[in-house]
């Protein structure tokens, strides 16, 4: 396929907000795609040249891209940057300047472009910046204006196409399997490999049967299993059986550790490769994992073993950084509490029951002071679970995670095989809600100085792959928090509603769904103003038909924390979770 043809599809996708139409366009694209290029096209759709988890970066930020555009179209860097700050999108600048130059060439193929982007990423050593600028500016001269627009967005990872992973899977299912509902047949492979390009290529080259055989491998992150919520120990035993496995819930961040000989790779919950961030965990994994290959599921946090002191999440999260890593590793060393093993010596364990996995883990993990086994207990009495919960909370932990002892590891699943029990105080929900910022509503008075009066926030509808509103948050944010929100959303503000945003409220400006905040509310209520759960998933308590005309909303919401470092917009609380929390209210 010629890159200009792909850019025409990108252009159509960018102009489309309806999800069904996005799927149709993707399906048309995939039908015209050759089996040798499908993986590359899927990565480019995501603003990548490799799967998300691969540490392959093109390594060009705004300013070097501006240099390349300037070089390609005989402009000055200052002029390009000036136009960029006016238009807010480097793609539009490239398109406009390319138009002026009447660049009309459109012969280069997708593979050709991809190869050059790979070369840019692989460039190392002296003169890297200059070489990258030359590669990109040469490429820009070889493409037409629309291609230039979409091309320069790739290094920034901002395609502006509004496509999430489920939509790509829907598009593949429709194009190749004839029906988007067949996405379900691709999901297991997705959950176990996290690589949409691999799935697309396998589907086109070898068929559905081979896709369904794709499974866990060291080096490719497995999508994490997550927890449901229950209000108290009694309900846990009612729902999960007579015997349960309970571990403390640590409040750090999830780290999936992959060992392949001396090679250690680590992934975050949202599948980012974080290996370079935690040298001490790499050291610990090399020393303490008694197997050639293994995958461990862990929670990493700053912990002082002598005083048994767990540092709060805000402290731990300071370790997720790109600079001064060795320095900070010394002042804030991390421990990883290991609670599961998913692979050992060439064998996947995800279809092995939890009680066996725990035994294997005990054998594999050497004693040491970096990887610490999460103390698990098999309990049969709600009273003992209450004691463990109180004990965890008194130690400053978040609560307890309870697991069904015979459950298999359900990659990407959130169901009653794993349940979290947390502390809570009167007048609050049992748990916080992770919301995505969807817009600002300008305020009056002092707040306007910071550019916001209230935030329009939403949750994720995973079925429809869209973001739906649940609340406006105005009070309770400090001036510093407003400043920080403004800074974080600087390049995400839009004047028209972004794709995949479903809202009845029109804010003063929209914000591209990307920033996740943790919100505490007193209650979940029904509201006709909000789109979460509206006309969608049925509220099981509702006897009244009209109730499904109502959405779900948060009462007295307040910001607790930013979660943008460890959660993508799609990792926010889902509508299904919100409805379950609604149903559990008042059942404490
Ligand atoms: P929260 O916001 O409450 O941390 P979450 O949305 O990040 O929750 P949940 O599915 O609600 O994710 O809770 C599971 C998370 O708890 C895991 O992703 C992991 O990071 C963390 N965790 C801490 N201790 C454990 C444990 N012993 N077993 C499993 N997960 C644990």
């Amino acid at each position: 396929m010629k890159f200009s043809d792909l850019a025409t599809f990108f252009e159509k996708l960018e102009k489309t907000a309806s999800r069904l139409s996005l799927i149709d366009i993707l399906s048309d694209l995939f039908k015209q795609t050759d089996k040798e290029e499908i993986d590359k096209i899927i990565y480019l759709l995501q603003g990548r040249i490799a799967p998300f988890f691969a540490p392959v970066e093109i390594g060009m930020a705004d300013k070097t891209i501006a240099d390349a555009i300037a070089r390609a179209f005989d402009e000055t860097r200052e002029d390009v940057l000036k136009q960029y700050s006016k238009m807010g999108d480097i793609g539009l600048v490239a398109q406009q300047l390319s138009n002026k130059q009447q660049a009309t060439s459109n012969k280069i193929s997708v593979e050709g472009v991809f190869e050059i982007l790979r070369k840019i990423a692989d460039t190392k050593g002296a003169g890297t910046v200059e070489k990258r600028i030359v590669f990109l500016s040469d490429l820009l001269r070889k493409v037409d204006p629309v291609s230039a627009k979409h091309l320069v967005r790739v290094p920034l990872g901002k395609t502006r196409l509004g496509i999430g992973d489920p939509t790509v899977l829907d598009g593949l299912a429709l194009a190749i399997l004839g029906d988007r509902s067949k996405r379900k047949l691709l999901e297991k492979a997705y959950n176990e490999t996290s690589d949409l390009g691999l799935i697309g290529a396998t589907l086109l080259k070898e068929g559905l049967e081979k896709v369904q055989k794709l499974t866990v491998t060291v080096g490719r992150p497995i999508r994490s299993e997550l927890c449901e919520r229950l209000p108290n120990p009694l309900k846990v035993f009612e729902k999960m059986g007579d015997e349960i496995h309970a571990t403390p819930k640590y409040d750090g961040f999830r780290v999936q550790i992959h060992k392949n000989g001396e090679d250690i790779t680590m992934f975050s919950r949202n599948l980012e490769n974080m290996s370079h961030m935690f040298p001490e965990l790499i050291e610990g994994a090399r020393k303490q994992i008694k197997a050639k290959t293994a995958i461990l599921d862990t929670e990493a946090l700053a912990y002082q073993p002598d005083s048994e002191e767990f540092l709060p999440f805000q402290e731990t999260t300071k370790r997720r950084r790109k600079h001064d890593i060795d320095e900070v590793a010394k002042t804030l060393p991390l421990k990883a509490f290991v609670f599961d093993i998913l692979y050992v010596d060439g064998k996947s364990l995800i279809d092995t029951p939890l009680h066996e996995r725990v035994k294997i883990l005990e054998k594999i993990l050497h004693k040491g002071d970096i990887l610490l086994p999460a103390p698990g207990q098999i309990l049969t009495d709600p009273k003992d679970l209450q004691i463990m919960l109180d004990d965890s909370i008194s130690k400053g932990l978040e609560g307890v995670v309870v697991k069904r002892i015979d459950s298999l590891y359900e990659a990407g699943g959130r169901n009653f095989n794993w349940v979290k029990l947390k502390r809570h105080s009167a007048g609050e929900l049992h748990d916080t809600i992770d919301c995505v910022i969807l817009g600002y509503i300008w305020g009056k008075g002092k707040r306007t100085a910071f550019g916001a009066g209230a935030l329009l926030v939403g949750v994720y509808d995973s079925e429809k792959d869209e973001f739906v509103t649940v609340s406006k948050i105005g009070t309770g944010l400090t001036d510093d928090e407003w400043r920080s929100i403004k800074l974080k959303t600087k390049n995400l503000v839009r004047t028209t509603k972004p794709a995949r945003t479903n809202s009845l409220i029109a804010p003063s400006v929209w914000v591209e769904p990307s920033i996740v905040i943790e919100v505490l509310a007193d209650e979940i209520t029904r509201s006709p103003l909000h789109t979460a759960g509206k006309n969608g998933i049925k509220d099981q308590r509702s006897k009244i038909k009209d109730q499904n005309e109502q959405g779900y909303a948060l009462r007295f919401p307040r910001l607790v924390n930013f979660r943008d470092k460890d959660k993508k917009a799609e990792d926010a609380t889902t509508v299904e979770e919100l409805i379950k929390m609604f149903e559990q209210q008042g059942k404490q």
Side-chain angles (χ1 to χ4, degrees):
M1 183 183 291
K2 284 193 295 191
F3 188 76
S4 58
D5 293 336
L6 180 62
T8 309
F9 277 106
F10 275 34
E11 192 68 6
K12 273 195 216 159
L13 290 166
E14 189 187 2
K15 297 209 163 102
T16 305
S18 138
R19 199 172 105 80
L20 289 181
S21 311
L22 287 173
I23 297 168
D24 286 340
I25 299 167
L26 280 178
S27 166
D28 286 347
L29 165 62
F30 294 147
K31 277 188 195 153
Q32 292 178 33
T33 300
D34 185 83
K35 59 182 190 293
E36 299 305 329
E37 59 189 5
I38 181 117
D39 48 352
K40 300 175 183 79
I41 286 180
I42 289 176
Y43 299 138
L44 288 171
L45 277 167
Q46 300 174 310
R48 297 277 303 159
I49 50 167
F52 273 111
F53 59 80
V56 178
E57 299 299 337
I58 295 174
M60 294 182 81
D62 303 21
K63 296 226 164 76
T64 33
I65 292 171
D67 279 331
I69 295 174
R71 187 89 55 98
F73 305 122
D74 298 326
E75 292 284 331
T76 64
R77 177 196 220 205
E78 287 64 38
D79 271 351
V80 173
L81 286 173
K82 217 194 281 163
Q83 292 192 44
Y84 178 29
S85 81
K86 215 163 71 193
M87 294 192 212
D89 171 15
I90 198 97
L92 289 178
V93 180
Q95 181 179 21
Q96 204 174 59
L97 292 174
S98 172
N99 254 331
K100 252 172 120 185
Q101 289 275 318
Q102 296 186 318
T104 50
S105 169
N106 60 5
K107 293 210 175 58
I108 189 160
S109 67
V110 172
E111 295 218 348
V113 169
F114 198 85
E115 207 175 292
I116 294 170
L117 292 176
R118 274 310 278 244
K119 260 194 208 155
I120 296 179
D122 290 342
T123 306
K124 285 190 189 74
T128 298
V129 175
E130 174 60 22
K131 282 183 205 154
R132 286 178 168 158
I133 293 171
V134 170
F135 277 132
L136 187 61
S137 58
D138 282 353
L139 191 53
L140 279 169
R141 271 190 237 108
K142 290 192 187 129
V143 299
D144 60 291
V146 171
S147 299
K149 166 174 150 188
H150 293 286
L151 174 62
V152 295
R153 287 175 180 171
V154 175
L156 295 179
K158 291 195 182 116
T159 57
R160 295 181 173 235
L161 306 181
I163 298 170
D165 290 1
T167 307
V168 175
L169 286 172
D170 274 332
L172 278 173
L174 181 59
I176 317 296
L177 307 174
D179 190 338
R180 80 184 166 92
S181 68
K182 294 200 170 144
R183 165 177 122 194
K184 298 254 169 315
L185 304 175
L186 306 175
E187 273 171 0
K188 185 173 177 293
Y190 172 61
N191 288 327
E192 293 177 17
T193 69
S194 311
D195 188 344
L196 286 175
L198 173 74
I199 292 170
T202 312
L203 191 60
L204 256 66
K205 287 181 193 165
E206 299 174 275
L208 178 61
E209 225 172 278
K210 267 278 155 57
V211 173
Q212 291 181 312
K213 286 196 181 128
L214 288 173
T215 184
V216 174
T217 298
V218 175
R220 277 200 306 245
I222 304 167
R223 290 185 19 100
S224 294
E225 176 155 9
L226 300 170
C227 300
E228 270 291 351
R229 300 168 174 83
L230 282 171
N232 58 47
L234 265 180
K235 289 271 184 280
V236 166
F237 282 91
E238 265 175 44
K239 185 92 192 170
M240 300 176 75
D242 299 335
E243 256 190 345
I244 51 103
H245 182 270
T247 40
K249 187 172 196 301
Y250 301 97
D251 195 11
F253 40 79
R254 189 124 180 207
V255 179
Q256 202 176 90
I257 302 179
H258 290 232
K259 177 173 192 276
N260 190 0
E262 284 297 288
D263 233 4
I264 310 290
T265 321
M266 286 182 251
F267 300 103
S268 66
R269 181 189 138 138
N270 57 18
L271 312 182
E272 243 178 90
N273 188 316
M274 332 193 274
S275 314
H276 60 288
M277 286 183 196
F278 312 123
E280 70 274 43
L281 297 188
I282 293 194
E283 209 40 48
R286 281 198 187 123
K287 278 195 196 136
Q288 290 182 247
I289 303 175
K290 229 186 333 172
K292 230 183 174 149
T293 53
I295 302 178
L296 304 185
D297 209 351
T298 79
E299 184 84 354
L301 77 167
Y303 170 62
Q304 313 275 351
D306 297 336
S307 54
E308 284 195 51
E309 207 186 334
F310 295 93
L311 272 69
F313 180 74
Q314 286 86 330
E315 284 297 308
T316 298
T317 205
K318 287 185 187 156
R319 285 298 311 277
R320 292 182 58 113
R321 54 193 287 150
K322 293 196 172 127
H323 308 289
D324 308 325
I325 284 165
D326 290 327
E327 193 81 351
V328 198
K330 278 189 207 121
T331 51
L332 201 67
L334 292 186
K335 310 282 176 198
F337 285 89
V338 186
F339 54 80
D340 215 329
I341 180 159
L342 314 180
Y343 187 94
V344 72
D345 284 334
K347 188 172 176 286
S348 165
L349 296 176
I350 61 170
D351 293 326
T352 303
L354 176 70
H355 59 91
E356 284 181 38
R357 298 204 303 273
V358 170
K359 278 197 197 117
I360 297 172
L361 180 59
E362 275 168 18
K363 278 199 218 135
I364 294 299
L365 197 61
H366 261 305
K367 259 203 157 84
D369 59 359
I370 296 178
L371 304 189
L372 308 172
Q377 286 187 44
I378 297 194
L379 301 179
T380 51
D381 187 338
K383 280 196 208 108
D384 293 332
L385 181 55
Q386 185 66 50
I387 291 170
M388 188 168 172
L389 179 63
D390 294 342
D391 182 49
S392 296
I393 288 167
S394 73
K395 284 186 180 140
L397 297 169
E398 249 195 318
V400 174
V401 180
V402 184
K403 297 170 187 170
R404 226 187 263 270
I405 53 176
D406 55 357
S407 62
L408 312 182
Y409 190 91
E410 280 193 41
R414 190 191 284 276
N415 55 44
F416 286 97
N417 284 338
W418 287 24
V419 164
K420 57 179 165 182
L421 274 177
K422 284 190 178 180
R423 87 189 113 175
H424 65 95
S425 39
E428 287 171 355
L429 287 172
H430 299 307
D431 202 358
T432 51
I433 294 161
D434 291 323
C435 294
V436 184
I437 299 180
L438 300 177
Y440 295 145
I441 295 144
W442 300 140
K444 294 194 182 79
K446 184 168 159 245
R447 280 275 153 76
T448 28
F450 307 112
L455 292 173
L456 178 65
V457 301
V459 293
Y460 181 53
D461 189 324
S462 55
E463 201 41 51
K464 297 188 195 153
D465 190 15
E466 66 179 19
F467 297 91
V468 283
T469 69
V470 284
S471 197
K472 287 193 249 176
I473 305 183
T475 51
L477 271 80
T478 63
D479 290 349
D480 270 354
E481 281 166 343
W482 279 118
R483 264 191 215 101
S484 151
I485 287 172
K486 195 176 171 207
L487 202 70
K488 282 171 199 281
T489 52
K490 200 170 139 226
N491 292 322
L492 299 169
V493 169
R494 306 279 178 264
T495 47
T496 52
K497 187 161 74 169
R500 294 199 294 161
T501 297
N502 177 356
S503 172
L504 298 172
I505 298 167
S508 315
V509 290
W510 299 95
V511 174
E512 188 80 36
S514 168
I515 307 283
V516 179
I517 55 172
E518 189 178 359
V519 174
L520 188 66
D522 277 9
E523 207 187 345
I524 298 167
T525 54
R526 303 302 309 257
S527 156
L529 290 179
H530 287 286
T531 47
K534 201 174 164 82
N535 290 325
I537 306 161
K538 287 224 166 19
D539 167 15
Q540 291 162 12
R541 288 204 321 185
S542 158
K543 305 258 179 318
I544 316 161
K545 216 167 123 235
D546 284 355
Q547 278 288 46
N548 286 316
E549 297 299 315
Q550 306 245 19
Y552 291 81
L554 306 182
R555 187 159 167 266
F556 297 136
R558 49 229 178 251
L559 175 101
V560 179
N561 227 327
F562 290 98
R563 296 294 302 252
D564 49 324
K565 282 199 174 156
D566 67 331
K567 288 202 172 175
K568 287 199 292 190
E570 289 84 357
D571 296 320
T573 299
T574 61
V575 172
E576 270 191 321
E577 286 178 73
L578 192 74
I579 294 177
K580 284 195 185 123
M581 290 172 82
F582 175 78
E583 286 166 358
Q584 278 180 16
Q585 281 178 160
K587 286 197 187 167
Q588 160 58 12

